Amino acid sequence: MDVGHRKSTLCLCLDGRVIATRTVPVAGMALTRAVMRDRDLLEIEAERAKLEQGVLGVRQNAASLEVLDRLAREILRTVGSLESLLPGGMAGLSAVHLLGGSGRLHRLDEFLSERTGVSVQRLASPGGVFGAALLAGGDPLLFAPAVAL
């Protein structure tokens, strides 16, 4: 799941091959706007707060939770609609891997795992020399789609 600025793209892979994709208009910008409403901040302040403090905290942030819940529902809706393509149905889904700039948000992986019942993890970097070279180029979550191509 590539959680970008304006949209999130879900890509279902089986045996190393893409079998379906779906894009939904919910991502980082929706979270920034939710933080604006939750905390009564200007957009630039909300973006900074989102990045530095996250959107999951001790206090309840209703608008932010609504956006995050929608992301979780979109994962389940997408996988549910393609369940017949997965050996074992929903149980055949091994994990959701997060990438993209908004995929780096603090505890997003934990939240989505809890809400979906599926293991959600940030995309891991490959090991070895290639992995070291990749990390030298910057944050792999930000350019993972380009690397995949």
Side-chain angles (χ1 to χ4, degrees), residues 55-66:
V55 294
L56 297 165
V58 175
R59 64 183 178 173
Q60 289 294 339
N61 298 310
S64 298
L65 288 175
E66 183 179 318

Side-chain angles (χ1 to χ4, degrees), residues 6 12 21 26 29 47 50 55 59 63 88 112 120:
R6 294 179 186 264
L12 185 61
T21 62
V26 180
M29 184 170 63
E47 180 71 15
K50 177 185 81 173
V55 294
R59 64 183 178 173
L112 293 175
V120 177

Side-chain angles (χ1 to χ4, degrees), residues 68-146:
L68 294 173
D69 276 330
R70 180 163 178 211
L71 277 176
R73 284 192 311 272
E74 294 298 346
I75 291 171
L76 293 173
R77 182 176 293 146
T78 300
V79 175
S81 71
L82 302 166
E83 193 171 10
S84 64
L85 300 175
L86 290 171
M90 278 293 276
L93 182 66
S94 61
V96 172
H97 298 279
L98 291 178
L99 52 120
S102 296
R104 297 170 53 227
L105 289 174
H106 180 63
R107 295 183 46 220
L108 178 61
D109 51 346
E110 295 171 30
F111 178 89
L112 293 175
S113 286
E114 180 183 302
R115 289 293 207 268
T116 63
V118 176
S119 172
V120 177
Q121 336 165 336
R122 286 185 182 82
L123 182 68
S125 300
V129 176
F130 178 71
L134 184 64
L135 289 175
D139 187 342
L141 263 67
L142 296 179
F143 57 85

